[in-house]
Amino acid sequence: MQNFVQKMLEDSHCLDSDSVLNAVPEKEYHAIACLAASICNTKYAFITFAREGEMWTKIAVGLDMPEVSYERSFCRYTMLGDGVFGVPDALDDARFS
């Protein structure tokens, strides 16, 4: 997993271009997020682009998500962790409250 994160950080310069964030039509991102929610049997799914210290939420399915700082984001913990990252209840988790 660490090799994947390192590769993503090295390649994050590609996010410097707005064309990357807008390359795929919104409806395609929405379809992918809906499929992910269905596969994971959850009512929420997000597609977020992230790099060290920054993130952009492209699609949020099932929740009107306000902008969240990178420091308080699930992305940060997912990218820095090793393996699957799950939070049973974000309202009860001090990292996200």
Side-chain angles (χ1 to χ4, degrees):
M1 183 58 131
Q2 191 64 18
N3 289 336
F4 171 76
V5 172
Q6 185 61 37
K7 177 77 171 128
M8 293 302 293
L9 291 174
E10 290 169 3
D11 291 344
S12 69
H13 69 277
C14 68
L15 292 177
D16 291 336
S17 168
D18 285 339
S19 63
V20 172
L21 297 176
N22 297 314
V24 177
E26 293 285 327
K27 66 179 182 175
E28 303 295 335
Y29 283 114
H30 190 267
I32 293 168
C34 287
L35 178 61
S38 177
I39 290 170
C40 296
N41 195 30
T42 183
K43 50 187 172 172
Y44 308 111
F46 308 94
I47 296 180
T48 304
F49 293 97
R51 64 179 175 192
E52 193 171 354
E54 299 178 274
M55 67 179 219
W56 301 266
T57 299
K58 185 70 174 180
I59 292 291
V61 171
L63 183 67
D64 288 329
M65 191 172 100
E67 289 296 318
V68 176
S69 69
Y70 176 78
E71 291 75 23
R72 293 185 58 215
S73 71
F74 288 95
C75 293
R76 175 176 177 237
Y77 292 95
T78 302
M79 288 172 51
L80 297 176
D82 187 28
V84 175
F85 176 70
V87 177
D89 189 342
L91 294 175
D92 289 335
D93 193 311
R95 295 173 292 186
F96 309 109
S97 60

